[in-house]
Amino acid sequence: MPPIISVNKLSKTYPTGLQALKNINLDIERGEIFALLGPNGAGKTTLISIICGLARPTSGTVLADGHDIITEYRRARSLIGLVPQELTTDAFETVWATVSFSRGLFGKPPNAAHIEKVLKALSLWNKKDNKLMTLSGGMKRRVLIAKALAHEPRILFLDEPTAGVDVSLRKEMWQVVRSLRDTGVTIILTTHYIEEAEEMADRVGVINNGEIVLVEKKAELMRKLGEKQLTLELQHPLESLPEALAPYRLKLGAGGTEIVYTYDIQRGDHNIAGLFSALAHSGIQFRDLHTKQSSLEEIFVKLVREAK
């Protein structure tokens, strides 16, 4: 099955000479949650703006479900919903009116049942007659999602959807996003909350300096690039490590009461059995041990640092 979004050799240079995107190639699969990560100024919003028809590319092509965003812009845009970073709402409109109006902008006939379904899914039904000025920031962000879903898109872009949202509401919105994916909507998410991508994404793409650094399934990415740490809690503290343990590149921690062994399974640069044998030979005893794998945030920081 062809990808629902296909980006081919896409570049964008602004009149100032800033090259925001450099020969981007990216395919997004149907029905997945795709997290696009990158530091500020990496090109995330420019890429989204081009796909959604808010900016024109300098070169390259983008297909939305097979429709060119330039030559078939009406059809392409009807498939896409966008939730922007900024809270842009008409303060004097009601929730119902603003969501219904958004549907009409795409030439869709009125459909009260669909609007009701969207508002209920986002826990906005009891707020449908409220003026937007009376809503909290988190509720206004839900209204933006409802507006983006009003015309029944098959592709939904969420640009920093939980910025400024408290933890409990953020988790509720994660559940909303998952339920949308379950109905067949493809979701592209940008976020600075890396745990959000770690929690929700099927695949992760990293962009930096206008270039795609990596695209990988989340689980595979963490398997390939995630270092592991083995921490041994010692029975007796050490002032320094014996010379015989130097090949293992160990570190002392917690005031000499812990030994930390960092290794990478993918590269095969570990020898835990040998380490235990060397510890015993050196007369070092431990009372407990635990392991930790790198988080997606640590992997992201490493990738961005290496790409500079």
Side-chain angles (χ1 to χ4, degrees):
M1 185 177 293
I4 196 163
I5 293 178
S6 182
V7 179
N8 185 41
K9 297 181 180 179
L10 186 70
S11 296
K12 174 64 176 179
T13 302
Y14 288 100
T16 59
L18 172 66
Q19 191 172 10
L21 298 177
K22 306 169 187 175
N23 203 37
I24 296 288
N25 293 291
L26 177 64
D27 287 337
I28 296 174
E29 306 301 330
R30 296 172 188 272
E32 72 173 338
I33 298 178
F34 184 89
L36 183 63
L37 307 180
N40 290 330
K44 301 187 300 295
T45 298
T46 299
L47 178 58
I48 289 175
S49 296
I50 290 174
I51 297 173
C52 294
L54 301 177
R56 292 184 67 88
T58 303
S59 62
T61 60
V62 178
L63 301 181
D65 201 12
H67 301 282
D68 189 285
I69 62 163
I70 303 296
T71 61
E72 301 176 271
Y73 66 92
R74 289 187 184 275
R75 182 61 181 146
R77 292 179 194 178
S78 71
L79 297 168
I80 297 173
L82 170 64
V83 181
Q85 293 182 34
E86 298 80 12
L87 290 174
T88 52
T89 55
D90 187 337
F92 299 100
E93 281 285 4
T94 65
V95 170
W96 179 273
T98 195
V99 175
S100 299
F101 180 72
S102 290
R103 179 178 176 84
L105 288 176
F106 286 86
K108 295 277 189 175
N111 188 334
H114 176 69
I115 301 300
E116 179 180 340
K117 177 183 176 182
V118 168
L119 294 183
K120 285 182 176 178
L122 292 163
S123 300
L124 288 168
W125 182 244
N126 63 339
K127 307 280 188 183
K128 65 185 176 69
D129 296 321
N130 285 40
K131 295 285 182 67
L132 296 177
M133 70 175 73
T134 67
L135 300 181
S136 67
M139 284 296 172
K140 287 178 181 176
R141 198 162 291 281
R142 289 186 184 220
V143 172
L144 291 180
I145 297 176
K147 290 175 64 178
L149 294 171
H151 63 287
E152 303 172 66
R154 305 312 299 157
I155 304 164
L156 181 64
F157 283 91
L158 300 174
D159 196 3
E160 301 288 343
T162 57
V165 173
D166 65 58
V167 174
S168 61
L169 187 53
R170 188 185 307 164
K171 290 185 176 181
E172 287 180 26
M173 292 180 69
W174 291 356
Q175 188 56 47
V176 168
V177 170
R178 289 192 192 96
S179 65
L180 288 171
R181 190 264 308 275
D182 292 342
T183 66
V185 177
T186 300
I187 296 164
I188 298 91
L189 165 76
T190 74
T191 179
H192 284 294
Y193 299 113
I194 307 299
E195 74 274 13
E196 196 163 68
E198 189 168 357
E199 175 76 20
M200 293 178 12
D202 300 306
R203 287 198 304 153
V204 174
V206 177
I207 186 171
N208 192 37
N209 294 323
E211 298 179 293
I212 295 292
V213 176
L214 173 145
V215 175
E216 187 67 85
K217 288 184 178 179
K218 179 185 65 181
E220 186 68 10
L221 173 64
M222 297 186 73
R223 186 184 72 82
K224 285 182 178 179
L225 301 179
E227 291 180 333
K228 280 195 172 184
Q229 281 188 346
L230 172 65
T231 301
L232 304 172
E233 296 180 10
L234 304 179
Q235 288 190 5
H236 307 288
L238 296 175
E239 291 185 3
S240 62
L241 291 167
E243 186 66 28
L245 298 178
Y248 297 95
R249 302 186 301 278
L250 305 176
K251 291 184 179 179
L252 276 178
T257 62
E258 292 181 350
I259 289 177
V260 180
Y261 177 44
T262 302
Y263 58 98
D264 189 319
I265 292 179
Q266 182 70 14
R267 290 198 300 263
D269 63 351
H270 63 290
N271 182 5
I272 295 175
L275 171 63
F276 286 170
S277 176
L279 288 170
H281 185 74
S282 300
I284 298 174
Q285 298 177 321
F286 59 92
R287 63 185 181 206
D288 199 2
L289 61 86
H290 55 88
T291 61
K292 173 192 172 186
Q293 185 162 359
S294 298
S295 67
L296 185 58
E297 180 170 5
E298 291 166 330
I299 294 171
F300 167 71
V301 171
K302 178 181 177 182
L303 286 169
V304 170
R305 187 184 299 122
E306 290 176 350
K308 286 183 179 179

